[in-house]
Amino acid sequence: MSNRKGQIRQDIRRQRRELDRQAKETMDRGIRERLSAAVQACQEGAVYLYASARGEVDTWQWVCKLWEKGVLTAFPRVEGEEIRFYFASGMEDLAPGAMGILEPLPGRCQLALVTDAPVVTPGLAFSLKGDRVGYGKGYYDRFFLREPRHRRIGVAYPFQIRDDLEPEVQDQKIDEIVTPDGVFTCTHSQGRL
């Protein structure tokens, strides 16, 4: 990991911790509204997403609405050095897994094989060029290398959008960033979508 990435991770975590609760809830609501519209525009029957935790954009109200509508939702499960997505239709299908984050229960949830579903992608920082700084394990980079056809959608607070990211060769780009202020198509993906 580069020192620069480490500093960015530290800065963003600090800013998320310092967010006023009411301001966070207002931004989360704006992101959920825009995320619903962005995903609905490309939805082919399934959405891949992550279980928000530790100050991330709160997606749980949105997830519950997707479940109520019967939308197929798939969450990642860490399997060694990889993540694989499994369908979950309610909280009873999820339990703490790697790093204490909710994951689909083994033996209960079906492997998701929709190779072009939109993927709501976590991250600490994003650039409008599609660069992403994740949490440092490379799970999503390896997943997108293995399944490149997914539309990659990052969700972020305004302070998570930065122009000083220095991507490394293994870093996979995202296609869109959803913030409380709007949905931004990343410059690298203009011909890809």
Side-chain angles (χ1 to χ4, degrees):
M1 166 179 76
S2 73
N3 286 340
R4 181 78 190 130
K5 273 190 176 179
Q7 185 61 51
I8 289 169
R9 288 183 177 112
Q10 194 173 38
D11 289 348
I12 298 299
R13 284 185 172 115
R14 177 187 51 75
Q15 289 180 72
R16 285 195 325 202
R17 280 192 308 272
E18 293 173 355
L19 262 180
D20 172 77
R21 194 184 84 170
Q22 189 172 2
K24 180 181 182 339
E25 288 174 4
T26 299
M27 287 191 289
D28 287 344
R29 186 173 39 257
I31 290 169
R32 284 192 301 267
E33 289 168 4
R34 286 174 173 77
L35 184 58
S36 291
V39 168
Q40 189 171 6
C42 69
Q43 193 170 314
E44 296 287 333
V47 178
Y48 287 22
L49 40 82
Y50 65 96
S52 58
R54 300 186 196 118
E56 292 176 320
V57 171
D58 183 4
T59 58
W60 285 109
Q61 289 182 39
W62 182 62
V63 169
C64 290
K65 286 183 181 176
L66 292 175
W67 285 338
E68 287 171 11
K69 293 178 181 179
V71 175
L72 292 174
T73 57
F75 293 82
R77 183 167 68 212
V78 175
E79 297 179 348
E81 293 295 310
E82 304 290 329
I83 54 172
R84 299 218 187 310
F85 282 81
Y86 291 82
F87 291 117
S89 57
M91 290 301 288
E92 65 278 2
D93 291 339
L94 304 170
M99 299 163 277
I101 297 170
L102 292 177
E103 296 183 348
L105 286 164
R108 180 177 177 126
C109 300
Q110 179 183 351
L111 182 63
L113 299 172
V114 185
T115 59
D116 58 354
V119 179
V120 179
T121 309
L124 285 163
F126 302 91
S127 81
L128 295 178
K129 293 185 283 187
D131 301 316
R132 172 185 164 271
V133 173
Y135 291 86
K137 301 287 187 185
Y139 292 122
Y140 279 85
D141 294 320
R142 287 188 295 278
F143 173 75
F144 288 132
L145 275 173
R146 196 172 71 241
E147 295 191 21
R149 293 180 48 216
H150 293 281
R151 182 169 159 204
R152 308 156 188 195
I153 304 170
V155 290
Y157 299 120
F159 59 81
Q160 291 178 271
I161 308 298
R162 301 180 57 135
D163 61 6
D164 62 343
L165 304 187
E166 298 172 355
E168 296 174 15
V169 71
Q170 73 276 7
D171 293 343
Q172 297 295 298
K173 293 188 179 286
I174 60 162
D175 300 310
E176 290 177 272
I177 306 167
V178 178
T179 74
D181 305 317
V183 178
F184 302 92
T185 300
C186 298
T187 54
H188 88 94
S189 66
Q190 306 258 332
R192 193 175 106 75
L193 295 178

